[in-house]
Amino acid sequence: MCNNSNSGSKCNCIAEILKVINILQSEVCPGDSCLETCTRAFFGPSASTDFNTRPVTLYTCNGTPVTMPVSNTPGETTTSNIFRVEKVDECCATLRVLTYNPETATYTATNSFFTVNTDCLCSIKCLGDTFVEGV
């Protein structure tokens, strides 16, 4: 495990960022102005924008992007590295796989979910806030 932590220590910063994103997505509410970071207190370019998701990509400690199948069908070969935070519990995060359509610049929610131990992640990249239907 790359971010090896003692059993008594807190989760890493990735878990904390994912928790903030999850809270924002669950309770879309305006906040004060802050830097355009993963922990910005509102979605979109302003607090009045109607977005509900802050898509993320995650990377392991060797720099490899986390990718998951876009469906639960056995033998699925199509994958995505774009996710929506659905739940964070201690150092575990449940994420939904999103697909991206470059022609329309939109994300689509899938019914593919996975749980990750955030201690195994070393970096997170937040993508532009958006509205994802059906989440």
Side-chain angles (χ1 to χ4, degrees), residues 37-90:
T37 65
C38 288
T39 56
R40 184 176 58 248
F42 55 87
F43 287 117
S46 69
S48 62
T49 308
D50 190 24
F51 292 141
N52 66 356
T53 300
R54 184 164 291 157
V56 299
T57 55
L58 304 169
Y59 298 87
T60 62
C61 292
N62 66 6
T64 304
V66 174
T67 59
M68 296 301 288
V70 298
S71 80
N72 296 325
T73 306
E76 174 67 65
T77 58
T78 304
T79 62
S80 176
N81 67 338
I82 305 168
F83 312 111
R84 182 182 195 276
V85 180
E86 294 293 337
K87 180 181 177 185
V88 180
D89 186 17
E90 299 286 326

Side-chain angles (χ1 to χ4, degrees), residues 26-40:
S26 297
E27 303 170 15
V28 177
C29 61
D32 56 351
S33 296
C34 57
L35 298 175
E36 287 211 15
T37 65
C38 288
T39 56
R40 184 176 58 248

Side-chain angles (χ1 to χ4, degrees), residues 75-121:
E76 174 67 65
T77 58
T78 304
T79 62
S80 176
N81 67 338
I82 305 168
F83 312 111
R84 182 182 195 276
V85 180
E86 294 293 337
K87 180 181 177 185
V88 180
D89 186 17
E90 299 286 326
C91 297
C92 292
T94 300
L95 304 164
R96 178 191 299 258
V97 179
L98 301 176
T99 59
Y100 181 72
N101 182 338
E103 292 178 13
T104 60
T106 58
Y107 295 94
T108 302
T110 70
N111 286 325
S112 181
F113 298 86
F114 68 100
T115 301
V116 64
N117 179 342
T118 59
D119 282 337
C120 296
L121 303 171

